[in-house]
Amino acid sequence: MELNDRALPLTRGQLDIWLAQETGHSGTEWQIGLLVRIEGALERDALEWAIRRVMQEAEPVRVSCFEVDGQVYQRAVDYPNIELDFYDVSCLADPVQEAQEIALSIQRTPMPFTGPLFKYALFRTRPDEYYLFGCYHHIVIDAAGIGLVGNRIAAVYSAIISGEPIPPAFFGSLQDLVDCELEYEASQDYRDDEAYWTGNLPAESNLTSGSLQAVDGHDPNWRSAPVRLDPAVLRRVHELADMWNMPRSSVITAACALVVRGWCAEGSEVVLDFPVSRRVRPESKRLPGMVAGVVPLVLRVSAASTVAGFCDHVHTRIREALQHQRFPVQALERKVHPRGPGQSVDRVVVDFFPTSFSLDFGGIAASASMTNSGLVGGFGLIFSGVGDELFLTTLGAGQLFSNFDVTDVASRLQRVLVAMTADPGRRLSSIEVLDGGERARLEGWGNRAILTRPSPVLDSIPGLFAAQVARVPEAVALSCGGQSMTYRQLEEAANRLARVLCGYGAGPGECVAVLMEAPRRRWWRFWRC
């Protein structure tokens, strides 16, 4: 494509996605979807018209991305004939499953950067039930933006059906999106955020041991079935969070950090990836584009820390990260910790994701759910729901544990939460993450039985040398430059030196520096008496 006055640069967040896809990640990993269940009769023509109207308003979503002379640009494209593909699967044995499988196949069909970077489909599963699916490339929209678009489509459709005036459009433009980012990059807030993250980056760009295990042939878009966490455990977590004046998510994040550290991290530092919306300015909250980001949550785990102290530490770090969430931390990490093409940071993501929300299509109830969170690479722990209805889903091609299953991860997490809530004053070192079988395997791999066996009493080096002198006193012990010393002569010389040192006050266990003459230079040696 050629440059013109409508071409604008990509934002930092968009450029990260462009570079990641161009250097190794499959394009379909970046494609995210919204699946809306509409429980009632639906007018297809009115819905298709509403989608076209909203997409005309959502300029940041209908862009084309292209490269010119090494620079990447985006330009809004008019799509006057946006199609709403229709599938009637109501006659099949399991129409809902069929609709979901077709939607997944759409999501796994690559969208070229030249556009369009969105697609819509409608499924009829019963005469009074429909599923609307919207698929988008993450380079043009994030989860919050999809929520804006979904709500706007429902509002426009409702106005058409009721004969009411269409509510005024409120989306920001593509120029607004770019200007918002450029204004931030020129502000004092940007410099303050940069100073914070420069001083708070992880010591290493990857997990300390890098032991997120890859699963051969595993779909990187794979998302497990949700597992509900025990409501009784959640109520206790909620009680503690209220007592400590912090959100429940901080306590759960602390538990996730202990689980991760127990299996695939070393030392006192645990680093989690923490998704953030970056929508801190009022104008950014009406932008249906790509604004979101991910920041590293650097947590320091001390075995002597208490549960209460560690939760307070986690809560403090989360608040700091949110205060500085607009900064492009990934670009700074690449600068501080350079990586080769296609190499990505391999960290566990912890995300509290509002996977579902309600919509109203002209008086017809509808529930919308995200098909994935847009996280790419590595492994994610995704929490969704409110109150006692909290679910854990795992996402990605990696895994934390051998014989991995989402129910296993949920069980480990709940075991840690139970220990934490039972005694908030207990030390972290007393909380067991691994089960008995895994602990036994680790002890076997580490030869614990041998290492804990009482050590035999060994002779000292002087004792061993004295025994050698007694066995072969006239054998040559040292030779250099045509001269040699027998074991007897070497022992006598060593004893003479020892007596001299004793005369100067040297005693057992002390270090002595000895200056020895050598050609062209002098050598310093340190000896322990």
Side-chain angles (χ1 to χ4, degrees):
M1 291 189 178
E2 296 181 358
L3 291 177
N4 57 30
D5 56 358
R6 297 184 62 190
L8 297 170
L10 266 61
T11 65
R12 289 285 189 96
Q14 290 177 305
L15 191 58
D16 280 339
I17 295 175
W18 170 281
L19 292 174
Q21 182 169 322
E22 291 294 293
T23 56
H25 281 303
S26 166
T28 59
E29 293 182 61
W30 295 106
Q31 292 172 191
I32 54 181
L34 181 72
L35 190 64
V36 184
R37 182 191 179 196
I38 304 172
E39 303 176 72
L42 193 70
E43 295 189 22
R44 284 172 50 194
D45 291 342
L47 179 60
E48 189 166 19
W49 192 93
I51 290 173
R52 289 176 180 173
R53 169 67 179 264
V54 173
M55 292 307 297
Q56 283 300 115
E57 298 172 357
E59 186 182 55
V61 185
R62 52 179 176 82
V63 302
S64 172
C65 302
F66 57 97
E67 185 176 1
V68 176
D69 297 331
Q71 300 294 318
V72 188
Y73 299 90
Q74 58 184 327
R75 180 169 58 197
V77 178
D78 294 325
Y79 295 105
N81 297 314
I82 297 174
E83 295 183 358
L84 177 63
D85 295 342
F86 180 68
Y87 302 85
D88 189 345
V89 295
S90 58
C91 61
L92 300 178
D94 193 339
V96 174
Q97 181 178 350
E98 182 67 22
Q100 291 173 341
E101 289 179 355
I102 296 174
L104 186 58
S105 69
I106 293 172
Q107 185 171 309
R108 290 173 174 170
T109 302
M111 295 178 178
F113 280 133
T114 53
L117 293 168
F118 60 88
K119 187 175 181 60
Y120 290 93
L122 181 66
F123 304 92
R124 183 185 183 188
T125 52
R126 293 199 313 257
D128 59 349
E129 181 183 73
Y130 291 81
Y131 281 81
L132 172 64
F133 180 63
C135 182
Y136 314 85
H137 198 294
H138 199 21
I139 200 169
V140 298
I141 200 167
D142 56 23
I146 290 177
L148 289 173
V149 170
N151 276 282
R152 179 63 178 167
I153 290 175
V156 172
Y157 175 86
S158 299
I160 296 171
I161 294 301
S162 64
E164 298 292 331
I166 296 175
F170 61 88
F171 290 154
S173 67
L174 179 61
Q175 186 70 62
D176 292 334
L177 172 64
V178 174
D179 287 347
C180 185
E181 292 298 286
L182 292 177
E183 179 183 351
Y184 165 64
E185 291 177 13
S187 69
Q188 182 61 45
D189 287 344
Y190 179 91
R191 292 187 286 274
D192 292 342
D193 293 345
E194 182 178 32
Y196 171 81
W197 286 113
T198 299
N200 288 277
L201 283 181
E204 300 290 340
S205 57
N206 289 338
L207 283 169
T208 313
S209 63
S211 58
L212 271 182
Q213 303 170 28
V215 183
D216 293 338
H218 213 313
D219 183 353
N221 292 295
W222 178 79
R223 184 186 183 98
S224 76
V227 173
R228 185 182 180 186
L229 300 180
D230 187 343
V233 176
L234 293 176
R235 283 193 291 271
R236 181 58 181 150
V237 170
H238 188 74
E239 291 172 1
L240 279 181
D242 280 349
M243 182 189 308
W244 294 333
N245 194 28
M246 65 178 65
R248 180 178 65 177
S249 57
S250 294
V251 181
I252 294 175
T253 301
C256 291
L258 295 179
V259 170
V260 171
R261 180 176 183 266
W263 189 257
C264 60
E266 297 174 355
S268 61
E269 187 175 275
V270 176
V271 186
L272 304 174
D273 266 350
F274 202 69
V276 290
S277 73
R278 299 185 69 249
R279 296 172 183 267
V280 298
R281 301 279 297 177
E283 58 269 23
S284 66
K285 297 179 181 180
R286 60 184 182 86
L287 287 170
M290 167 54 194
V291 181
V294 176
V295 298
L297 193 62
V298 182
L299 306 173
R300 288 176 173 81
V301 185
S302 169
S305 296
T306 64
V307 169
F310 183 59
C311 288
D312 181 68
H313 168 65
V314 172
H315 178 54
T316 299
R317 298 316 299 263
I318 290 176
R319 285 191 302 165
E320 291 175 356
L322 293 177
Q323 183 179 352
H324 302 282
Q325 63 179 287
R326 293 189 71 187
F327 189 77
V329 188
Q330 291 174 321
L332 181 61
E333 278 201 272
R334 285 195 299 270
K335 180 180 178 180
V336 175
H337 303 295
R339 302 187 296 270
Q343 291 181 325
S344 60
V345 174
D346 190 18
R347 290 198 287 255
V348 174
V349 178
V350 175
D351 191 11
F352 294 86
F353 190 64
T355 54
S356 61
F357 53 92
S358 299
L359 296 173
D360 183 347
F361 281 80
I364 301 174
S367 58
S369 59
M370 303 292 297
T371 59
N372 69 343
S373 64
L375 303 174
V376 174
F379 180 84
L381 301 174
I382 316 300
F383 297 90
S384 59
V386 294
D388 292 343
E389 291 280 335
L390 188 66
F391 295 85
L392 170 63
T393 303
T394 56
L395 178 69
Q399 68 180 41
L400 280 175
F401 307 100
S402 57
N403 302 320
F404 158 82
D405 183 79
V406 62
T407 56
D408 181 38
V409 177
S411 176
R412 295 170 190 272
L413 179 64
Q414 289 186 149
R415 187 166 67 237
V416 171
L417 286 171
V418 167
M420 291 171 63
T421 56
D423 181 9
R426 71 186 299 174
R427 295 184 183 274
L428 298 182
S429 57
S430 68
I431 298 178
E432 185 61 70
V433 174
L434 305 180
D435 60 32
E438 289 170 338
R439 178 63 65 187
R441 285 196 296 274
L442 287 178
E443 291 180 353
W445 296 337
N447 288 323
R448 182 175 179 82
I450 301 299
L451 295 176
T452 56
R453 181 185 300 169
S455 300
V457 178
L458 300 176
D459 289 333
S460 65
I461 292 177
L464 292 173
F465 182 75
Q468 178 72 354
V469 172
R471 282 194 297 271
V472 287
E474 302 306 322
V476 175
L478 295 175
S479 60
C480 179
Q483 297 182 344
S484 63
M485 296 179 70
T486 64
Y487 277 100
R488 179 179 55 78
Q489 291 171 330
L490 181 58
E491 182 186 39
E492 292 173 349
N495 288 336
R496 286 196 299 272
L497 176 60
R499 286 192 291 272
V500 171
L501 294 177
C502 289
Y504 283 102
E510 294 184 3
C511 293
V512 177
V514 179
L515 176 63
M516 297 181 294
E517 292 289 345
R520 299 184 179 179
R521 64 182 69 182
R522 292 182 175 181
W523 294 90
W524 284 94
R525 294 295 303 273
F526 289 85
W527 300 86
R528 181 174 293 275
C529 296

